Amino acid sequence: MGEFGRTPRTTNGGTGREHWPRCYSAVLAGGSVQGGQVHGASDRWAAYPARDPVSPDDLGATILYALGIDPTRQIHDALGRPIPINLGQPLTTLFG
């Protein structure tokens, strides 16, 4: 996974495609993730999620889940204030 996808069309005079934060892909392997799955889809221009969008927080929660860490866990700062380690939802359907 990269931090950005690419624009659906060239936008800089035909010299390439710029960063596009609205739709990109990631590959997950190992950690009990079942191979050969596809989760979600983009629209026909690869510009926006069309089905089952996943946020960066959801991806982080999925990684925490794979590591056996509860993504809803909280830690506390020096003043005792609770801080969630993640705000996403793990994609548990990816696991066997």
Coordinates of all heavy atoms in Angstrom, one line a residue:
M1 N 0.8 -1.2 0.0 CA 0.0 0.0 0.0 C 0.9 1.2 0.0 O 1.9 1.3 0.7 CB -0.9 0.0 1.2 CG -1.8 1.2 1.3 SD -2.8 1.2 2.8 CE -1.8 2.4 3.7
G2 N 0.5 2.2 -0.7 CA 1.1 3.5 -0.7 C 0.3 4.5 0.1 O -0.9 4.1 0.4
E3 N 0.8 5.6 0.3 CA -0.1 6.6 1.0 C -1.1 7.3 0.1 O -2.0 8.0 0.6 CB 0.8 7.7 1.7 CG 1.4 8.7 0.8 CD 2.6 8.3 0.0 OE1 2.9 7.1 -0.1 OE2 3.3 9.2 -0.5
F4 N -1.0 7.1 -1.2 CA -1.9 7.7 -2.1 C -2.2 6.7 -3.3 O -1.3 5.9 -3.7 CB -1.4 9.0 -2.7 CG -1.5 10.2 -1.8 CD1 -0.4 10.6 -1.1 CD2 -2.7 10.8 -1.6 CE1 -0.4 11.7 -0.3 CE2 -2.7 11.9 -0.8 CZ -1.6 12.3 -0.1
G5 N -3.3 6.9 -3.9 CA -3.6 6.3 -5.2 C -3.1 7.3 -6.3 O -2.4 8.2 -6.0
R6 N -3.6 7.1 -7.5 CA -3.2 8.0 -8.6 C -4.5 8.5 -9.2 O -5.5 7.9 -9.2 CB -2.4 7.3 -9.6 CG -1.1 6.8 -9.1 CD -0.2 8.0 -8.8 NE 1.1 7.5 -8.2 CZ 1.9 8.4 -7.6 NH1 1.6 9.6 -7.4 NH2 2.9 7.9 -7.0
T7 N -4.4 9.8 -9.7 CA -5.6 10.4 -10.3 C -6.1 9.5 -11.4 O -5.3 8.9 -12.1 CB -5.2 11.8 -10.9 OG1 -4.1 11.7 -11.8 CG2 -4.9 12.8 -9.8
P8 N -7.4 9.5 -11.6 CA -8.0 8.6 -12.6 C -7.6 9.1 -14.0 O -7.6 8.3 -14.9 CB -9.5 8.8 -12.4 CG -9.7 9.3 -11.0 CD -8.4 10.1 -10.7
R9 N -7.3 10.3 -14.2 CA -6.9 10.8 -15.5 C -5.6 11.7 -15.3 O -5.4 12.2 -14.2 CB -8.0 11.7 -16.1 CG -9.2 11.0 -16.3 CD -10.3 11.9 -17.0 NE -11.5 11.2 -17.2 CZ -12.5 11.3 -16.4 NH1 -12.5 12.0 -15.3 NH2 -13.6 10.6 -16.6
T10 N -4.8 11.8 -16.3 CA -3.7 12.7 -16.3 C -4.2 14.1 -16.1 O -5.1 14.5 -16.7 CB -2.8 12.6 -17.5 OG1 -3.5 12.9 -18.6 CG2 -2.1 11.3 -17.6
T11 N -3.6 14.9 -15.2 CA -4.0 16.2 -14.9 C -2.9 17.3 -15.1 O -3.1 18.4 -14.8 CB -4.6 16.3 -13.5 OG1 -3.5 15.9 -12.6 CG2 -5.8 15.4 -13.3
N12 N -1.8 16.8 -15.5 CA -0.6 17.8 -15.6 C 0.0 17.8 -17.0 O 1.2 17.7 -17.2 CB 0.4 17.4 -14.5 CG 0.9 16.0 -14.7 OD1 0.5 15.3 -15.6 ND2 1.7 15.5 -13.8
G13 N -0.9 17.9 -18.0 CA -0.4 18.0 -19.3 C 0.1 16.7 -19.9 O 0.9 16.7 -20.9
G14 N -0.4 15.6 -19.4 CA 0.0 14.3 -20.0 C 1.3 13.7 -19.5 O 1.8 12.7 -20.1
T15 N 1.9 14.3 -18.5 CA 3.2 13.8 -18.1 C 3.1 12.8 -17.0 O 4.1 12.2 -16.5 CB 4.1 15.0 -17.6 OG1 3.5 15.6 -16.5 CG2 4.4 15.9 -18.7
G16 N 1.9 12.5 -16.5 CA 1.8 11.5 -15.5 C 0.5 11.7 -14.7 O -0.3 12.6 -14.9
R17 N 0.3 10.9 -13.7 CA -0.8 10.9 -12.8 C -0.4 11.4 -11.4 O 0.6 10.9 -10.9 CB -1.5 9.6 -12.8 CG -2.1 9.2 -14.1 CD -2.5 7.7 -14.2 NE -3.5 7.4 -13.2 CZ -3.9 6.2 -12.9 NH1 -3.3 5.2 -13.5 NH2 -4.8 6.0 -12.0
E18 N -1.2 12.3 -10.9 CA -0.8 12.9 -9.6 C -1.4 12.1 -8.4 O -2.0 11.1 -8.6 CB -1.5 14.3 -9.5 CG -1.1 15.3 -10.6 CD 0.4 15.7 -10.5 OE1 1.0 15.6 -9.3 OE2 1.0 16.1 -11.5
H19 N -1.0 12.5 -7.2 CA -1.5 11.8 -6.0 C -3.0 11.9 -5.9 O -3.6 12.9 -6.3 CB -0.9 12.4 -4.7 CG 0.5 12.0 -4.5 ND1 1.5 13.0 -4.3 CD2 1.1 10.8 -4.6 CE1 2.6 12.4 -4.2 NE2 2.5 11.1 -4.3
W20 N -3.7 10.9 -5.4 CA -5.2 10.8 -5.3 C -5.5 10.1 -4.1 O -5.5 8.9 -4.0 CB -5.7 10.1 -6.6 CG -7.2 10.1 -6.7 CD1 -8.1 9.1 -6.4 CD2 -8.1 11.2 -7.1 NE1 -9.4 9.5 -6.6 CE2 -9.4 10.8 -7.0 CE3 -7.8 12.5 -7.5 CZ2 -10.4 11.6 -7.4 CZ3 -8.9 13.3 -7.8 CH2 -10.2 12.9 -7.8
P21 N -5.9 10.9 -3.0 CA -6.2 10.2 -1.7 C -7.5 9.6 -1.6 O -7.8 9.0 -0.5 CB -6.0 11.4 -0.7 CG -6.5 12.6 -1.5 CD -6.0 12.3 -2.9
R22 N -8.4 9.7 -2.6 CA -9.8 9.2 -2.4 C -10.0 7.7 -2.7 O -11.0 7.1 -2.3 CB -10.7 10.0 -3.3 CG -10.7 11.5 -2.8 CD -11.4 12.4 -3.9 NE -11.3 13.7 -3.5 CZ -10.3 14.6 -3.7 NH1 -9.2 14.1 -4.3 NH2 -10.3 15.8 -3.3
C23 N -9.0 7.1 -3.4 CA -9.2 5.7 -3.7 C -7.8 5.0 -4.0 O -7.1 5.5 -4.9 CB -10.1 5.5 -4.9 SG -10.7 3.8 -5.2
Y24 N -7.5 4.0 -3.3 CA -6.2 3.3 -3.5 C -6.3 1.9 -3.0 O -7.4 1.5 -2.4 CB -5.0 4.0 -2.8 CG -5.2 4.4 -1.4 CD1 -4.9 3.6 -0.3 CD2 -5.8 5.6 -1.0 CE1 -5.0 3.9 1.0 CE2 -6.0 6.0 0.3 CZ -5.6 5.1 1.3 OH -5.8 5.5 2.6
S25 N -5.3 1.1 -3.2 CA -5.4 -0.3 -2.9 C -4.3 -0.7 -1.9 O -3.3 0.0 -1.7 CB -5.4 -1.2 -4.1 OG -4.1 -0.9 -4.8
A26 N -4.5 -1.9 -1.3 CA -3.6 -2.4 -0.3 C -3.6 -3.9 -0.5 O -4.6 -4.5 -0.9 CB -3.9 -2.1 1.1
V27 N -2.5 -4.6 -0.3 CA -2.4 -6.0 -0.3 C -2.0 -6.5 1.1 O -1.1 -6.0 1.7 CB -1.3 -6.5 -1.4 CG1 -1.1 -8.0 -1.3 CG2 -1.6 -6.0 -2.7
L28 N -2.8 -7.5 1.6 CA -2.5 -8.1 2.9 C -2.2 -9.5 2.7 O -2.8 -10.2 1.9 CB -3.7 -7.9 3.8 CG -4.3 -6.5 4.1 CD1 -5.5 -6.6 4.9 CD2 -3.2 -5.7 4.7
A29 N -1.2 -10.0 3.4 CA -0.8 -11.4 3.4 C -0.2 -11.8 4.7 O 0.3 -11.0 5.5 CB 0.3 -11.6 2.3
G30 N -0.4 -13.1 5.1 CA 0.1 -13.6 6.4 C -0.9 -13.2 7.5 O -2.0 -12.7 7.3
G31 N -0.5 -13.5 8.7 CA -1.3 -13.1 9.9 C -2.7 -13.7 9.9 O -3.6 -13.1 10.3
S32 N -2.8 -14.9 9.3 CA -4.1 -15.6 9.2 C -5.1 -15.0 8.2 O -6.3 -15.4 8.1 CB -4.8 -15.7 10.5 OG -4.0 -16.4 11.4
V33 N -4.6 -14.0 7.4 CA -5.5 -13.5 6.3 C -5.6 -14.6 5.2 O -4.6 -15.2 4.8 CB -4.9 -12.2 5.7 CG1 -5.6 -11.8 4.4 CG2 -4.9 -11.1 6.7
Q34 N -6.9 -14.9 4.9 CA -7.1 -15.9 3.8 C -6.8 -15.3 2.5 O -7.2 -14.3 2.1 CB -8.6 -16.4 3.9 CG -8.9 -17.1 5.1 CD -8.2 -18.4 5.3 OE1 -8.1 -19.2 4.4 NE2 -7.5 -18.6 6.4
G35 N -5.9 -16.0 1.7 CA -5.5 -15.5 0.4 C -6.6 -15.6 -0.6 O -7.6 -16.2 -0.5
G36 N -6.4 -14.8 -1.7 CA -7.3 -14.9 -2.9 C -8.6 -14.1 -2.7 O -9.5 -14.2 -3.5
Q37 N -8.7 -13.2 -1.7 CA -9.9 -12.4 -1.5 C -9.7 -11.0 -2.1 O -8.7 -10.5 -2.2 CB -10.2 -12.3 0.0 CG -10.4 -13.6 0.7 CD -10.7 -13.3 2.2 OE1 -11.8 -12.8 2.5 NE2 -9.7 -13.5 3.0
V38 N -10.9 -10.5 -2.4 CA -11.0 -9.1 -2.8 C -12.0 -8.4 -1.9 O -13.1 -9.0 -1.8 CB -11.3 -8.9 -4.3 CG1 -11.5 -7.5 -4.7 CG2 -10.3 -9.5 -5.2
H39 N -11.7 -7.3 -1.3 CA -12.6 -6.6 -0.5 C -12.8 -5.2 -1.0 O -11.9 -4.5 -1.2 CB -12.1 -6.5 1.0 CG -13.0 -5.8 1.9 ND1 -14.0 -6.4 2.6 CD2 -13.1 -4.4 2.1 CE1 -14.7 -5.5 3.3 NE2 -14.1 -4.3 3.0
G40 N -14.0 -4.9 -1.4 CA -14.4 -3.6 -1.9 C -14.1 -3.5 -3.4 O -13.6 -4.4 -4.0
A41 N -14.5 -2.3 -3.9 CA -14.3 -2.1 -5.4 C -14.4 -0.6 -5.6 O -15.0 0.2 -4.8 CB -15.4 -2.8 -6.2
S42 N -13.7 -0.1 -6.6 CA -13.8 1.3 -7.0 C -14.9 1.5 -8.1 O -15.4 0.5 -8.7 CB -12.5 1.8 -7.5 OG -12.1 1.2 -8.8
D43 N -15.2 2.7 -8.4 CA -16.0 3.0 -9.5 C -15.3 2.7 -10.8 O -14.1 2.3 -10.8 CB -16.6 4.4 -9.5 CG -15.5 5.5 -9.6 OD1 -14.3 5.1 -10.0 OD2 -15.8 6.6 -9.3
R44 N -15.9 2.8 -11.9 CA -15.3 2.3 -13.2 C -14.1 3.2 -13.6 O -13.3 2.8 -14.5 CB -16.3 2.3 -14.3 CG -16.8 3.6 -14.8 CD -17.9 3.5 -15.8 NE -17.8 4.6 -16.7 CZ -18.5 4.7 -17.8 NH1 -19.3 3.7 -18.2 NH2 -18.4 5.8 -18.6
W45 N -13.9 4.4 -13.0 CA -12.8 5.2 -13.3 C -11.7 5.1 -12.2 O -10.7 5.8 -12.3 CB -13.2 6.7 -13.4 CG -14.2 6.9 -14.5 CD1 -14.0 7.0 -15.8 CD2 -15.6 7.0 -14.3 NE1 -15.1 7.2 -16.5 CE2 -16.2 7.2 -15.6 CE3 -16.5 6.9 -13.2 CZ2 -17.5 7.3 -15.8 CZ3 -17.8 7.1 -13.4 CH2 -18.3 7.3 -14.7
A46 N -11.9 4.2 -11.2 CA -10.9 4.1 -10.1 C -10.7 5.4 -9.4 O -9.6 5.7 -8.9 CB -9.6 3.5 -10.6
A47 N -11.8 6.2 -9.3 CA -11.7 7.5 -8.7 C -12.2 7.5 -7.3 O -11.7 8.2 -6.4 CB -12.5 8.5 -9.5
Y48 N -13.3 6.7 -7.0 CA -13.9 6.7 -5.7 C -14.3 5.3 -5.3 O -14.6 4.5 -6.2 CB -15.2 7.6 -5.7 CG -14.8 9.0 -5.9 CD1 -15.0 9.5 -7.2 CD2 -14.4 9.9 -4.9 CE1 -14.7 10.9 -7.5 CE2 -14.1 11.2 -5.2 CZ -14.2 11.7 -6.5 OH -13.9 13.0 -6.8
P49 N -14.4 4.9 -4.0 CA -14.9 3.6 -3.6 C -16.3 3.5 -4.1 O -17.2 4.4 -3.9 CB -14.8 3.6 -2.1 CG -13.8 4.6 -1.8 CD -13.9 5.7 -2.9
A50 N -16.7 2.3 -4.7 CA -18.0 2.1 -5.1 C -18.7 1.1 -4.1 O -19.9 1.1 -4.0 CB -18.0 1.5 -6.5
R51 N -17.9 0.3 -3.4 CA -18.5 -0.7 -2.5 C -17.5 -1.0 -1.4 O -16.3 -1.1 -1.7 CB -18.9 -1.9 -3.4 CG -18.8 -3.2 -2.8 CD -19.4 -4.3 -3.8 NE -18.4 -4.8 -4.7 CZ -17.4 -5.6 -4.3 NH1 -17.2 -6.0 -3.0 NH2 -16.5 -6.1 -5.2
D52 N -18.0 -1.2 -0.2 CA -17.2 -1.6 0.9 C -15.9 -0.7 1.1 O -14.8 -1.3 1.2 CB -16.8 -3.1 0.8 CG -18.0 -4.0 0.8 OD1 -19.0 -3.7 1.4 OD2 -18.0 -5.0 0.1
P53 N -16.1 0.6 1.3 CA -14.9 1.4 1.5 C -14.2 1.1 2.8 O -14.9 0.6 3.8 CB -15.4 2.8 1.5 CG -16.9 2.7 1.9 CD -17.3 1.4 1.3
V54 N -12.9 1.3 2.9 CA -12.1 1.0 4.1 C -11.3 2.2 4.4 O -10.7 2.8 3.5 CB -11.2 -0.2 3.8 CG1 -10.3 -0.4 5.0 CG2 -12.0 -1.5 3.5
S55 N -11.4 2.7 5.6 CA -10.6 3.9 6.0 C -9.2 3.4 6.5 O -9.0 2.3 6.8 CB -11.3 4.6 7.2 OG -11.2 3.9 8.4
P56 N -8.2 4.4 6.5 CA -6.9 4.0 7.1 C -7.1 3.5 8.5 O -6.3 2.6 8.9 CB -6.2 5.4 7.1 CG -6.8 6.1 5.9 CD -8.3 5.7 5.9
D57 N -8.0 4.0 9.3 CA -8.2 3.5 10.7 C -8.7 2.0 10.6 O -8.3 1.2 11.5 CB -9.2 4.4 11.4 CG -8.6 5.6 12.1 OD1 -7.4 5.5 12.4 OD2 -9.3 6.6 12.2
D58 N -9.5 1.7 9.7 CA -10.0 0.3 9.5 C -8.8 -0.6 9.2 O -8.7 -1.7 9.7 CB -11.1 0.2 8.4 CG -12.4 0.9 8.8 OD1 -12.6 1.2 10.0 OD2 -13.1 1.2 7.8
L59 N -8.0 -0.2 8.3 CA -6.8 -1.0 8.0 C -5.9 -1.1 9.2 O -5.4 -2.2 9.5 CB -6.0 -0.3 6.8 CG -4.8 -1.1 6.3 CD1 -5.1 -2.4 5.8 CD2 -4.1 -0.3 5.3
G60 N -5.7 -0.1 10.0 CA -4.9 -0.2 11.2 C -5.5 -1.1 12.2 O -4.9 -1.9 12.8
A61 N -6.9 -1.1 12.3 CA -7.6 -1.9 13.3 C -7.4 -3.4 12.8 O -7.3 -4.3 13.6 CB -9.0 -1.6 13.4
T62 N -7.4 -3.6 11.5 CA -7.3 -5.0 11.0 C -5.9 -5.5 11.3 O -5.7 -6.7 11.7 CB -7.5 -5.0 9.5 OG1 -8.8 -4.4 9.2 CG2 -7.4 -6.4 8.9
I63 N -4.9 -4.7 11.2 CA -3.5 -5.1 11.5 C -3.4 -5.4 13.0 O -2.8 -6.4 13.4 CB -2.5 -4.1 11.0 CG1 -2.5 -4.0 9.5 CG2 -1.1 -4.4 11.6 CD1 -1.7 -2.8 8.9
L64 N -3.9 -4.6 13.8 CA -3.9 -4.8 15.3 C -4.6 -6.1 15.6 O -4.1 -6.9 16.4 CB -4.6 -3.6 16.0 CG -3.8 -2.3 16.0 CD1 -4.7 -1.2 16.6 CD2 -2.5 -2.5 16.8
Y65 N -5.8 -6.3 15.0 CA -6.5 -7.6 15.2 C -5.7 -8.8 14.8 O -5.7 -9.8 15.5 CB -7.8 -7.5 14.4 CG -8.7 -8.7 14.5 CD1 -9.6 -8.8 15.5 CD2 -8.6 -9.7 13.5 CE1 -10.5 -10.0 15.5 CE2 -9.4 -10.8 13.6 CZ -10.3 -11.0 14.6 OH -11.1 -12.1 14.6
A66 N -5.0 -8.7 13.7 CA -4.2 -9.8 13.2 C -3.0 -10.1 14.2 O -2.6 -11.2 14.4 CB -3.6 -9.5 11.8
L67 N -2.6 -9.1 14.9 CA -1.5 -9.2 15.9 C -2.0 -9.6 17.3 O -1.2 -9.8 18.2 CB -0.7 -7.9 16.0 CG 0.1 -7.5 14.8 CD1 0.6 -6.0 15.0 CD2 1.2 -8.4 14.5
G68 N -3.3 -9.8 17.4 CA -3.9 -10.2 18.7 C -4.1 -9.1 19.6 O -4.2 -9.3 20.8
I69 N -4.1 -7.8 19.1 CA -4.2 -6.6 20.0 C -5.7 -6.1 19.7 O -6.1 -5.9 18.6 CB -3.2 -5.6 19.6 CG1 -1.8 -6.1 19.8 CG2 -3.5 -4.3 20.4 CD1 -0.7 -5.2 19.3
D70 N -6.4 -5.9 20.8 CA -7.7 -5.4 20.7 C -7.7 -3.9 20.2 O -7.2 -3.1 20.9 CB -8.4 -5.4 22.1 CG -9.8 -4.9 22.1 OD1 -10.3 -4.5 21.1 OD2 -10.4 -4.8 23.2
P71 N -8.2 -3.7 19.0 CA -8.1 -2.3 18.5 C -9.0 -1.3 19.2 O -8.8 -0.1 19.0 CB -8.6 -2.5 17.0 CG -9.2 -3.8 16.9 CD -8.8 -4.6 18.1
T72 N -9.9 -1.8 20.1 CA -10.6 -0.8 20.9 C -10.0 -0.5 22.2 O -10.5 0.3 23.0 CB -12.1 -1.4 21.2 OG1 -11.9 -2.5 22.0 CG2 -12.8 -1.7 19.9
R73 N -8.8 -1.1 22.4 CA -8.0 -0.8 23.7 C -7.7 0.6 23.8 O -7.5 1.4 22.8 CB -6.8 -1.7 23.7 CG -5.9 -1.5 24.9 CD -4.7 -2.5 24.8 NE -3.9 -2.2 26.0 CZ -2.6 -2.4 26.0 NH1 -2.0 -2.8 24.9 NH2 -1.9 -2.1 27.1
Q74 N -7.6 1.1 25.1 CA -7.2 2.4 25.3 C -5.9 2.4 26.2 O -5.7 1.5 26.9 CB -8.2 3.2 26.1 CG -9.5 3.4 25.4 CD -10.5 4.2 26.2 OE1 -10.4 4.4 27.4 NE2 -11.5 4.7 25.5
I75 N -5.0 3.4 25.9 CA -3.9 3.6 26.8 C -4.1 4.9 27.5 O -5.1 5.7 27.2 CB -2.6 3.7 26.0 CG1 -2.6 4.8 24.9 CG2 -2.3 2.3 25.4 CD1 -1.3 5.0 24.2
H76 N -3.3 5.2 28.5 CA -3.5 6.4 29.3 C -2.3 7.3 29.3 O -1.2 6.8 29.4 CB -3.9 6.1 30.8 CG -5.3 5.4 30.9 ND1 -5.4 4.1 30.7 CD2 -6.5 6.0 31.1 CE1 -6.7 3.8 30.8 NE2 -7.4 4.9 31.0
D77 N -2.5 8.6 29.1 CA -1.3 9.5 29.1 C -0.9 9.8 30.5 O -1.4 9.2 31.5 CB -1.7 10.8 28.3 CG -2.7 11.7 29.0 OD1 -3.1 11.4 30.2 OD2 -3.2 12.6 28.3
A78 N 0.1 10.7 30.6 CA 0.7 11.0 31.9 C -0.3 11.5 32.9 O -0.1 11.4 34.1 CB 1.9 11.9 31.8
L79 N -1.4 12.1 32.4 CA -2.4 12.7 33.3 C -3.5 11.7 33.6 O -4.5 12.0 34.2 CB -3.0 14.0 32.7 CG -2.0 15.1 32.6 CD1 -2.6 16.3 31.9 CD2 -1.4 15.5 33.9
G80 N -3.4 10.5 33.0 CA -4.4 9.5 33.2 C -5.6 9.5 32.3 O -6.6 8.8 32.4
R81 N -5.5 10.4 31.3 CA -6.6 10.5 30.3 C -6.5 9.3 29.3 O -5.5 9.0 28.8 CB -6.5 11.8 29.5 CG -6.7 13.0 30.4 CD -6.4 14.3 29.6 NE -5.0 14.4 29.2 CZ -4.4 15.4 28.7 NH1 -5.1 16.6 28.5 NH2 -3.2 15.4 28.3
P82 N -7.7 8.7 29.0 CA -7.7 7.6 28.1 C -7.5 8.1 26.6 O -8.1 9.1 26.2 CB -9.1 7.0 28.3 CG -9.9 8.1 28.7 CD -9.0 9.0 29.5
I83 N -6.7 7.3 25.9 CA -6.5 7.6 24.5 C -6.7 6.3 23.7 O -6.0 5.3 24.0 CB -5.0 8.1 24.2 CG1 -4.8 9.3 25.0 CG2 -4.8 8.3 22.8 CD1 -3.3 9.7 25.1
P84 N -7.7 6.2 22.8 CA -7.9 5.0 22.0 C -6.7 4.8 21.1 O -6.1 5.7 20.6 CB -9.1 5.3 21.2 CG -9.2 6.8 21.2 CD -8.6 7.3 22.4
I85 N -6.3 3.5 21.0 CA -5.1 3.2 20.1 C -5.6 3.2 18.6 O -4.7 3.3 17.7 CB -4.4 1.9 20.5 CG1 -5.3 0.7 20.4 CG2 -3.8 2.0 21.8 CD1 -4.6 -0.6 20.5
N86 N -6.9 3.1 18.4 CA -7.4 3.1 17.0 C -8.9 3.4 17.1 O -9.6 3.1 18.0 CB -7.2 1.7 16.4 CG -7.5 1.6 15.0 OD1 -8.7 1.5 14.6 ND2 -6.5 1.8 14.1
L87 N -9.3 4.0 16.0 CA -10.8 4.4 15.9 C -11.5 3.6 14.8 O -12.7 3.8 14.6 CB -10.9 5.9 15.6 CG -10.3 6.8 16.7 CD1 -10.4 8.2 16.3 CD2 -11.0 6.6 18.0
G88 N -10.8 2.6 14.2 CA -11.4 1.9 13.1 C -12.1 0.6 13.5 O -12.0 0.2 14.7
Q89 N -12.6 -0.1 12.5 CA -13.2 -1.4 12.7 C -12.4 -2.4 11.9 O -12.2 -2.2 10.7 CB -14.7 -1.4 12.2 CG -15.6 -0.5 13.0 CD -15.7 -0.9 14.4 OE1 -15.9 -2.1 14.7 NE2 -15.7 0.1 15.3
P90 N -12.0 -3.5 12.6 CA -11.2 -4.5 11.8 C -12.1 -5.2 10.8 O -13.2 -5.5 11.0 CB -10.7 -5.4 12.9 CG -11.6 -5.3 14.0 CD -12.1 -3.9 14.0
L91 N -11.4 -5.6 9.7 CA -12.1 -6.4 8.7 C -12.0 -7.8 9.0 O -11.2 -8.6 8.4 CB -11.5 -6.0 7.3 CG -11.5 -4.6 6.9 CD1 -10.8 -4.3 5.6 CD2 -12.9 -4.0 6.8
T92 N -12.8 -8.3 9.9 CA -12.6 -9.7 10.5 C -13.0 -10.7 9.4 O -12.6 -11.9 9.5 CB -13.5 -9.9 11.7 OG1 -14.9 -9.6 11.4 CG2 -13.0 -9.0 12.8
T93 N -13.8 -10.3 8.4 CA -14.1 -11.3 7.3 C -12.9 -11.7 6.5 O -13.0 -12.7 5.8 CB -15.2 -10.7 6.4 OG1 -14.6 -9.5 5.8 CG2 -16.5 -10.3 7.1
L94 N -11.8 -11.0 6.6 CA -10.6 -11.4 5.9 C -9.9 -12.6 6.5 O -9.0 -13.2 5.8 CB -9.6 -10.2 5.8 CG -10.1 -9.0 5.0 CD1 -9.1 -7.9 5.1 CD2 -10.5 -9.3 3.6
F95 N -10.2 -13.0 7.7 CA -9.5 -14.0 8.4 C -10.3 -15.3 8.4 O -11.5 -15.4 8.3 CB -9.3 -13.6 9.9 CG -8.5 -12.3 10.0 CD1 -9.1 -11.1 10.0 CD2 -7.1 -12.4 10.0 CE1 -8.3 -9.9 10.1 CE2 -6.3 -11.2 10.1 CZ -7.0 -10.0 10.1
G96 N -9.5 -16.4 8.4 CA -10.1 -17.8 8.4 C -10.5 -18.3 9.7 O -10.3 -17.8 10.7

